[in-house]
Amino acid sequence: MINLFGLTLTQLQDLCLTEGFPKFTAKQICDWLYKKRVLSIDDMTNLSLKVRARLNEIAFIGRSFPVDCQTSKDGTKKYLFKVAEEAEHSSHQYVEAVMIPDADRATLCISCQRGCKMGCHFCVTGKQGFHGHLSAADILNQIFSIPESEMLTNVVYMGMGEPMDNYDNVLASTQVMTSGWGLAWSPHRITVSSVGITPMLKRFIEESECHVAVSLHNPYHQERLQLMPMEKTYPILSCLDMLKQYDWTGQRRISFEYTMFRGVNDDLGHAAELVRLFRGPNRTGHLFCRVNLIRFHESEGVDLHTSSQQTMEQFQKYLNDHGVICTIRASRGEDIMAACGLLAGQAEKTNK
C-alpha cells in the first residue's frame, strides 16, 4: 500500500500516470492532503468514484496523532509520535516534537530520524544511537497532526536526528511545506540544522531556500572533535569555506548554534577565534551570519557543565562588539526534557 501523505506533486503525478488517472488528479489529491487536510480518500469528493475506489485499493493517508503530550511550566509542549512498528516496549519506535509558543510566534521543533548517527558527546538523542530514518510522511505528520498545527508560524529541524543524513526525505518535506500545491509557506519560516555535513549541506543550499543553522559548538578542530566525532570527516573549517561561497546578505539566513560548556568553549579566546573564522583575514572572505548561544542542559552520563549567565553575556558582548551578531537563546521546556539536546523519544518517560 502507498502512503499518499508526504508525496510531492511530482510523485503523485507519476502515480496517476501509472494508474491511468486524468492528468489533473495529482493536483486535486495535493489539495485534499495539504490544504483541506482530509484523513480519508473517500473525502476527496471531486475525484470520480472510480478513482477513489482504485486509490482505496492501492493507497492510504498515513496521518497519525500524538500518543502523548507533556506541557512545561513555561507553556512549551512536547509531543510523542509513534513512527515504527517494532517491539511493543521499545522506545526506538517513537520520536518527539516540541511546540514553543512565544507572543505572536509558535515554533515547532521537529525530528527527522529515530536516534542519530552523529554521536555528539553532549546530546541525549545521540546517546541512544541510530534506529532509522523518518519518511517525509513521518516528518510532516509532526507538523500536521498537533492541535496547534494551523497556528504554527515557524518550523525548525532541530529535534532528533541529523537532517543532512536523511536528505531526500527532509528535502521532500520542505517542498510540501513551501510549494503552492502544498502549504505554500515562505521558506524563510523554516530552518534546517546540520552538524556540518558539507557535501549535503551544499546541495541543500542550492536546492532549497530555507534558512540554515550549523551546529558549531567549538571553533578549534581538536576541541570540536572531542565534542563532535563528525569533525574528523567534515571539519568545520571546510564547511565555513563552503558557506562563504554563497551570499547571505538577503532574506535567507545562515546561523550557528553554539552550546556553552563551562571551562570547555566559553572563554574569550574561543570568542576571538570565532570572530577570526567569520571575519578574520586568515580565512577567505567574510560570512554574514548570526551566532545563537545555547545554555547547556546537563544530563546523566555527560561530564559537561553549564556556563554561567555572566560568562554567556560576556561571550555575547565580545562577538557583538567585534561585528558578529550574537544572541542568547532562551531556554524552554527543560522541566519536561524538551530543551535543546534532551529529546529521547521514550514513551515510558512521558506523563500527560
Side-chain angles (χ1 to χ4, degrees):
M1 295 285 281
I2 301 166
N3 185 358
L4 297 177
F5 183 70
L7 296 184
T8 65
L9 177 60
T10 299
Q11 291 170 324
L12 285 167
Q13 287 171 335
D14 290 342
L15 173 64
C16 290
L17 179 64
T18 299
E19 294 296 326
F21 297 160
K23 186 176 181 180
F24 54 80
T25 304
K27 181 65 168 61
Q28 291 176 313
I29 295 173
C30 279
D31 189 62
W32 287 110
L33 290 174
Y34 305 126
K35 297 186 186 301
K36 297 183 174 69
R37 304 183 180 216
V38 298
L39 297 175
S40 169
I41 291 170
D42 292 328
D43 290 336
M44 300 180 177
T45 52
N46 63 350
L47 274 59
S48 71
L49 289 174
K50 181 179 179 181
V51 168
R52 277 181 275 168
R54 178 56 180 161
L55 282 176
N56 274 313
E57 290 176 356
I58 65 171
F60 66 102
I61 298 175
R63 288 268 307 280
S64 63
F65 293 97
V67 298
D68 200 2
C69 174
Q70 289 179 277
T71 303
S72 168
K73 60 187 178 183
D74 63 25
T76 298
K77 291 185 177 181
K78 182 171 71 171
Y79 289 101
L80 186 75
F81 289 90
K82 186 175 181 179
V83 295
E85 296 296 333
E86 294 189 356
E88 182 180 355
H89 300 294
S90 171
S91 64
H92 302 316
Q93 60 189 317
Y94 298 97
V95 297
E96 292 169 333
V98 178
M99 199 284 294
I100 308 166
D102 185 15
D104 59 347
R105 292 167 63 95
T107 300
L108 186 67
C109 176
I110 61 174
S111 298
C112 66
Q113 293 178 319
R114 290 182 291 133
C116 186
K117 296 178 186 175
M118 302 300 107
C120 297
H121 179 58
F122 48 87
C123 180
V124 171
T125 304
K127 296 293 183 185
Q128 64 182 267
F130 175 72
H131 302 282
H133 296 303
L134 298 194
S135 66
D138 289 329
I139 295 170
L140 289 165
N141 186 63
Q142 298 167 71
I143 300 165
F144 277 73
S145 297
I146 63 171
E148 301 85 359
S149 177
E150 297 193 52
M151 300 166 45
L152 296 175
T153 61
N154 299 85
V155 165
V156 295
Y157 288 66
M158 296 182 181
M160 300 171 66
E162 163 57 47
M164 295 301 111
D165 188 46
N166 188 16
Y167 184 85
D168 290 341
N169 289 320
V170 166
L171 183 67
S173 67
T174 63
Q175 289 172 339
V176 170
M177 294 173 66
T178 60
S179 298
W181 47 261
L183 286 182
W185 275 28
S186 164
H188 301 136
R189 294 170 64 179
I190 303 167
T191 301
V192 179
S193 69
S194 176
V195 298
I197 301 179
T198 306
M200 304 313 295
L201 191 56
K202 178 179 175 65
R203 182 178 165 190
F204 185 78
I205 291 168
E206 295 176 353
E207 295 183 358
S208 168
E209 289 296 322
C210 298
H211 292 319
V212 172
V214 176
S215 298
L216 199 159
H217 308 306
N218 202 302
Y220 296 110
H221 171 71
Q222 287 299 331
E223 293 183 12
R224 190 171 190 260
L225 183 61
Q226 295 301 309
L227 295 170
M228 306 171 70
M230 290 305 293
E231 169 71 10
K232 182 176 181 179
T233 306
Y234 301 110
I236 192 61
L237 293 184
S238 297
C239 183
L240 287 169
D241 287 344
M242 179 276 291
L243 292 170
K244 288 179 181 180
Q245 298 173 16
Y246 299 92
D247 181 8
W248 300 99
T249 58
Q251 288 186 308
R252 192 179 194 186
R253 184 175 66 243
I254 175 73
S255 59
F256 292 87
E257 310 300 297
Y258 197 92
T259 302
M260 302 284 283
F261 307 111
R262 187 172 73 220
V264 174
N265 67 346
D266 62 351
D267 62 44
L268 295 186
H270 287 88
E273 182 64 7
L274 285 176
V275 172
R276 188 183 76 81
L277 295 183
F278 296 141
R279 301 277 190 247
N282 295 329
R283 305 301 299 180
T284 303
H286 297 290
L287 188 61
F288 184 79
C289 64
R290 176 185 299 271
V291 174
N292 295 313
L293 302 183
I294 302 170
R295 181 170 290 101
F296 175 59
H297 304 100
E298 297 183 13
S299 58
E300 185 178 351
V302 179
D303 57 345
L304 294 167
H305 302 282
T306 307
S307 297
S308 69
Q309 181 68 22
Q310 180 182 10
T311 297
M312 294 183 71
E313 291 174 356
Q314 290 174 341
F315 202 97
Q316 176 193 25
K317 184 177 187 303
Y318 185 96
L319 291 182
N320 283 327
D321 287 349
H322 288 80
V324 177
I325 300 170
C326 181
T327 60
I328 297 176
R329 180 179 293 168
S331 181
R332 301 288 298 272
E334 186 174 4
D335 58 318
I336 58 169
M337 293 289 285
C340 291
L342 296 181
L343 299 187
Q346 294 183 352
E348 63 268 24
K349 289 189 178 180
T350 63
N351 297 288
K352 292 183 180 179

